[in-house]
Amino acid sequence: MAFHPPLYYVLGSLLCADNGNLLEEHLVVNELPGVILLKEAPYAGAALQGKKKSAYVLRCFSLICGAVTVFFVYNCALILFPGTTWLAALIALFVGMNPEFMHVSASVSNDNLNTALATACLFSLFCFLKNPFSIQRAGMCGILAGCALMTKNPSLVLLPVLCLSSVYVVHKYGVRKTGGALGVLFLLLSVIGGWWYVRNWLLFNDPLLTKAMATAHPWAPRYA
């Protein structure tokens, strides 16, 4: 989709081989209000190659992203509830066994990369809050947040979380001690993830490209 941030599609293109054939030669796309159904074309052939192979590779990539999400959910829970591995495992199990999560994790969707990066960013933020003087931890948090912003717009909810965390760090330790690390965090976040929204604002006066979303999915009330 042209209105989504490009990171997932760039990574997906690296995993997919372009044999010159059209996707319609392998898949039948039936786009309905609120859902897109894909099924194998009857004339696509049985061999796992070309676009068909790429679809399976992307689904495997989605499964890996889902596993990464569960892994970081577990580790975030360990930080929030130290010493309670049973509770962390229960929380991770609750996330991993969620029917919607399992469905999306087995699909070709940028949601999987988005959730993986967002949970990794939260884990990195928790680690940074333990040592807010670490440039390395701040940099990793900024990189992950920037990549999440370049995957899907809902990752923008990370911004108020990072801002509130920064206010807490400055209030507790002072700006002189933490200013350098926080500067690195937000600099990397802006360089990696900010340019896309600035570009959309300058070109279309629409940072989130909500107008394009409404045109592509007129039935979706969230774009109205």
Side-chain angles (χ1 to χ4, degrees):
M1 297 293 182
F3 47 77
H4 284 305
L7 180 59
Y8 174 80
Y9 303 99
V10 171
L11 294 177
S13 67
L14 298 177
L15 298 174
C16 297
D18 185 7
N19 58 2
N21 295 333
L22 297 176
L23 183 63
E24 288 79 2
E25 297 178 7
H26 300 271
L27 296 173
V28 176
V29 182
N30 183 17
E31 186 167 1
L32 302 173
V35 65
I36 300 177
L37 301 178
L38 301 177
K39 63 179 181 179
E40 186 175 336
Y43 45 81
L48 186 61
Q49 59 185 358
K51 292 292 190 298
K52 190 191 300 186
K53 179 180 179 181
S54 297
Y56 280 97
V57 171
L58 288 175
R59 290 184 68 183
C60 289
F61 177 63
S62 294
L63 289 172
I64 293 173
C65 289
V68 169
T69 299
V70 174
F71 172 79
F72 280 112
V73 166
Y74 174 81
N75 283 278
C76 286
L78 280 181
I79 293 178
L80 293 175
F81 308 102
T84 56
T85 54
W86 66 270
L87 181 58
L90 187 63
I91 294 173
L93 181 65
F94 176 79
V95 173
M97 296 299 291
N98 181 282
E100 181 68 17
F101 179 80
M102 290 191 291
H103 169 72
V104 175
S105 295
S107 307
V108 178
S109 172
N110 58 355
D111 287 311
N112 301 299
L113 181 61
N114 184 55
T115 53
L117 288 170
T119 50
C121 178
L122 289 177
F123 174 74
S124 179
L125 176 62
F126 292 155
C127 293
F128 170 67
L129 291 177
K130 286 186 172 183
N131 182 12
F133 317 110
S134 173
I135 299 294
Q136 291 80 7
R137 293 188 180 187
M140 181 57 65
C141 185
I143 291 172
L144 290 170
C147 289
L149 292 181
M150 286 299 294
T151 304
K152 203 166 184 182
N153 292 341
S155 290
L156 289 168
V157 299
L158 291 172
L159 293 181
V161 175
L162 293 172
C163 290
L164 290 175
S165 300
S166 300
V167 171
Y168 165 78
V169 167
V170 170
H171 176 74
K172 185 174 182 179
Y173 300 102
V175 68
R176 290 187 177 182
K177 294 181 178 180
T178 60
L182 292 174
V184 169
L185 191 159
F186 284 99
L187 176 63
L188 290 173
L189 185 156
S190 301
V191 170
I192 296 174
W195 68 268
W196 170 258
Y197 300 93
V198 173
R199 165 195 175 273
N200 295 338
W201 178 49
L202 294 176
L203 292 179
F204 310 109
N205 196 29
D206 186 8
L208 303 182
L209 294 182
T210 53
K211 297 175 183 177
M213 294 180 188
T215 302
H217 304 293
W219 55 79
R222 64 181 182 274
Y223 300 139

